[in-house]
Amino acid sequence: MNQTTAKLMDGTAVAARLYEQTAIRAAELRETTGVEACLATVLVGDDPSSATYVRMKQNRCRKAGIASRSIVLPASTTTAELVQAIRELSDDPAVHGILVQHPVPAHIDERAAFEAIDPAKDVDGVTMHSFAAMAFGLPGFQSCTPGGIIRLLDEYDVNLAGQHAVVLGRSPILGKPVGMLLLERNATVTYCHSRTKGLPELVAQADVLVAAVGKPDFVQGEWLKPGAVVVDAGYHEGGRGDVDQEAAARVASLLTPVPGGVGPMTIALLLAQTVDAAVALSGPGVRHAAEDTRVQ
Amino acid sequence: MNQTTAKLMDGTAVAARLYEQTAIRAAELRETTGVEACLATVLVGDDPSSATYVRMKQNRCRKAGIASRSIVLPASTTTAELVQAIRELSDDPAVHGILVQHPVPAHIDERAAFEAIDPAKDVDGVTMHSFAAMAFGLPGFQSCTPGGIIRLLDEYDVNLAGQHAVVLGRSPILGKPVGMLLLERNATVTYCHSRTKGLPELVAQADVLVAAVGKPDFVQGEWLKPGAVVVDAGYHEGGRGDVDQEAAARVASLLTPVPGGVGPMTIALLLAQTVDAAVALSGPGVRHAAEDTRVQ
């Protein structure tokens, strides 16, 4: 058993540098074109943690010099009403990015809501267009958690080519896109999920593991290959992740802590992509962040 | 070594039944609505094998009572001209399905051409919309070879849930979508490709192998898990596949032959989806083939 303590991937620090760069780009855009990058958030219903997430995103926008517009709709909103509200934002030239806070109430067709977002404003990377762009290596916005994970791996010089990456989870905004982004980086990619048989043996093959199962402490330390790179995309009460962090720290070479690993990267990428959208929608003259593969 | 001879999956026979069913549905549509299902084929340049493929598809249409329209453009066609021609077909109410014969000449942006296809007429399943629909389990058209593979596996009662499916290849119209369709069927899915390390060991784990690498006899019999289901999506001169067929037949439980396995299913699904599109675009009254998970 390898007793070395894993190096922790400091998402808070990497996100802070990305925020800084984003604020500079937002200011450059304002100075050169007069355009103020603007993120519209759409919140349906009164789930307190969703409201908190939206507030966090708006606060971060303010600090980065990005305008935000807040749309709050009652829990009784219909799919058609929500789609209409999002379409208006898609058509509004003063809005550059649109975030629909997940989850929406159960009676709403979330996919219909997502597809009402103009792909040019899909800074949260939730549309079918954005997913296919990620899968095919085409220009477009990345889903924020998957894109944040890739940036974090880049920051820690993880060379993905030829590595076996195992993704636990297959949601449309996390598991599926992160697997496609890893495949685009030439990793061999295995998707595991609730129906997978022999999960510990598959996890044991992972040079890079991305855990996105939504179950606290699900991944056991003894499942891991010694020296693996472990990305824990979970967040549960009491600061637990999807991985048994204490055990993983004794086996992995690199590990994202919870909190302070993947989480901070998600909002940081949302804001970076909002400025990307504003730049793209406001004409040339400001460098596009997507041209860089890593945070400067 | 298991000396049992693999059962061959007879794509020709399964495709014949699908053609029959498609012809009946095309006739029903014509009788109930007066609408003649119509596939438009777009061929750019003078590659003889591409011309042959297009002719095969048109012949099959005629036999199934599906109208076809043929657009042939010179090799010097620009992307803008091709996009314009495809947009006209997308806007033409008499056309229900559009097939752009792959590959187009190297100077053309094939993705731009594909994206000019209205997703409602993307019966070859090549648009970004269709890919995301396959990945997310949403209504839409399947890429024809991947969709044909799944239908063939269904016909031979292969239960994919919990099985480890290994896909060799990651092209946008074969490897990537077939992996997503297998994942939707609850298989554990591993994508391998030219940069994968330790390929034989990964192939050895496959309960279901899909070979789509484009190299004759690439997959060796000794790599295979005894009893594996082997789908060979390759076709090379002299009737070779991507798998060493003779060796695989001694190890696999089920095997698609070359020719006569995957190949025939591709055009059969193209035609079935053309009638699906015609039905959907012509209003209700005729049953949609996608409602069935298997050929009757």
Side-chain angles (χ1 to χ4, degrees):
Chain A
M1 174 67 85
N2 185 342
Q3 291 293 330
T4 314
T5 298
K7 184 172 178 180
L8 296 181
M9 291 187 266
D10 187 346
T12 306
V14 176
R17 292 203 291 282
L18 183 52
Y19 281 129
E20 222 172 281
Q21 194 191 44
T22 298
I24 290 169
R25 292 195 304 123
E28 275 179 14
L29 177 67
R30 203 164 41 239
E31 285 155 24
T32 55
T33 66
V35 171
E36 189 160 37
C38 175
L39 174 69
T41 59
V42 180
L43 174 64
V44 186
D46 38 23
D47 176 56
S49 57
S50 288
T52 302
Y53 282 128
V54 167
R55 214 163 34 239
M56 279 168 61
K57 289 163 186 172
Q58 291 167 340
N59 287 342
R60 281 291 179 184
C61 280
R62 201 175 50 247
K63 286 185 196 164
I66 295 173
S68 67
R69 188 183 304 183
S70 170
I71 310 285
V72 181
L73 297 168
S76 61
T77 302
T78 65
T79 297
E81 288 164 348
L82 177 57
V83 162
Q84 180 55 30
I86 296 167
R87 284 213 182 117
E88 283 168 19
L89 296 170
S90 288
D91 291 340
D92 185 336
V95 169
H96 306 107
I98 300 170
L99 168 101
V100 178
Q101 183 62 42
H102 169 85
V104 294
H107 68 275
I108 289 178
D109 177 350
E110 187 173 66
R111 175 53 51 196
F114 286 166
E115 295 308 312
I117 301 170
D118 179 343
K121 300 186 179 184
D122 180 23
V123 295
D124 202 27
V126 298
T127 59
M128 294 166 76
H129 181 94
S130 294
F131 177 74
M134 286 183 276
F136 294 166
L138 297 170
F141 294 112
Q142 297 180 340
S143 304
C144 287
T145 302
I149 288 169
I150 299 293
R151 278 173 179 247
L152 204 48
L153 294 173
D154 282 348
E155 276 293 301
Y156 284 87
D157 291 322
V158 177
N159 181 5
L160 294 163
Q163 300 291 294
H164 192 172
V166 175
V167 176
L168 310 187
R170 51 175 169 167
S171 77
I173 52 174
L174 214 176
K176 277 176 184 157
V178 81
M180 286 292 128
L181 292 175
L182 291 163
L183 188 59
E184 273 300 301
R185 293 299 191 88
N186 297 315
T188 298
V189 174
T190 297
Y191 284 100
C192 299
H193 46 79
S194 55
R195 304 289 294 275
T196 291
K197 291 175 188 160
L199 185 65
E201 292 70 31
L202 289 162
V203 170
Q205 297 179 43
D207 300 308
V208 177
L209 178 74
V210 179
V213 286
K215 293 180 187 165
D217 298 334
F218 178 76
V219 176
Q220 308 297 306
E222 60 261 36
W223 296 1
L224 301 171
K225 184 186 207 169
V229 173
V230 176
V231 175
D232 186 344
Y235 182 78
H236 308 280
E237 216 171 313
R240 314 296 305 175
D242 284 355
V243 175
D244 178 339
Q245 287 268 334
E246 292 76 6
R250 291 193 293 271
V251 186
S253 61
L254 282 167
L255 171 67
T256 60
V258 176
V262 169
M265 293 302 296
T266 301
I267 304 186
L269 192 60
L270 176 73
L271 268 59
Q273 293 195 139
T274 299
V275 176
D276 289 345
V279 168
L281 292 166
S282 309
V286 179
R287 191 168 47 86
H288 194 283
E291 287 168 17
D292 302 314
T293 57
R294 54 163 64 206
V295 182
Q296 298 302 304
Chain B
M1 173 67 83
N2 184 342
Q3 291 294 332
T4 313
T5 298
K7 185 172 179 182
L8 296 182
M9 291 187 267
D10 187 347
T12 305
V14 176
R17 292 203 291 280
L18 183 53
Y19 281 128
E20 222 172 282
Q21 194 190 45
T22 298
I24 291 168
R25 293 195 305 124
E28 275 179 13
L29 177 67
R30 205 166 38 239
E31 284 155 25
T32 55
T33 66
V35 172
E36 189 159 37
C38 175
L39 174 70
T41 59
V42 180
L43 174 64
V44 186
D46 39 23
D47 177 56
S49 57
S50 289
T52 303
Y53 283 127
V54 166
R55 214 163 34 238
M56 280 168 60
K57 288 164 188 172
Q58 290 166 341
N59 287 343
R60 281 290 180 186
C61 280
R62 202 177 48 249
K63 286 184 197 164
I66 295 173
S68 66
R69 189 183 304 184
S70 169
I71 310 285
V72 181
L73 298 168
S76 60
T77 303
T78 65
T79 297
E81 288 163 349
L82 177 58
V83 163
Q84 180 55 31
I86 296 168
R87 284 215 182 114
E88 283 168 17
L89 296 171
S90 288
D91 292 340
D92 185 336
V95 169
H96 307 107
I98 301 170
L99 168 100
V100 178
Q101 183 62 43
H102 169 86
V104 294
H107 68 275
I108 289 178
D109 177 350
E110 186 174 67
R111 176 54 50 197
F114 286 166
E115 295 308 312
I117 302 170
D118 180 343
K121 300 186 179 184
D122 180 24
V123 295
D124 201 26
V126 298
T127 59
M128 294 167 77
H129 181 94
S130 294
F131 176 74
M134 286 183 274
F136 294 165
L138 297 169
F141 295 111
Q142 296 180 342
S143 305
C144 288
T145 303
I149 288 169
I150 299 293
R151 279 174 179 246
L152 203 47
L153 294 172
D154 282 348
E155 274 295 301
Y156 284 87
D157 290 322
V158 177
N159 181 4
L160 294 164
Q163 300 292 294
H164 192 170
V166 175
V167 176
L168 310 188
R170 51 175 169 167
S171 76
I173 52 174
L174 214 176
K176 276 177 185 157
V178 81
M180 286 292 128
L181 292 175
L182 291 164
L183 188 59
E184 273 300 300
R185 293 299 191 87
N186 297 315
T188 298
V189 174
T190 297
Y191 284 101
C192 299
H193 46 80
S194 56
R195 304 290 293 276
T196 291
K197 290 174 189 161
L199 185 65
E201 292 71 29
L202 289 162
V203 169
Q205 297 178 42
D207 300 309
V208 178
L209 179 74
V210 179
V213 287
K215 292 179 187 166
D217 298 332
F218 178 76
V219 175
Q220 308 297 304
E222 60 261 36
W223 296 0
L224 301 171
K225 184 186 208 168
V229 173
V230 176
V231 176
D232 186 344
Y235 182 79
H236 308 281
E237 215 170 315
R240 314 298 303 173
D242 284 356
V243 175
D244 178 339
Q245 287 269 334
E246 291 76 7
R250 291 193 293 270
V251 187
S253 61
L254 283 167
L255 171 66
T256 60
V258 176
V262 170
M265 293 302 297
T266 301
I267 304 186
L269 191 60
L270 176 74
L271 268 59
Q273 293 195 138
T274 298
V275 176
D276 290 344
V279 168
L281 292 165
S282 309
V286 178
R287 192 167 48 89
H288 194 283
E291 287 166 17
D292 302 314
T293 57
R294 54 165 61 207
V295 181
Q296 297 302 307

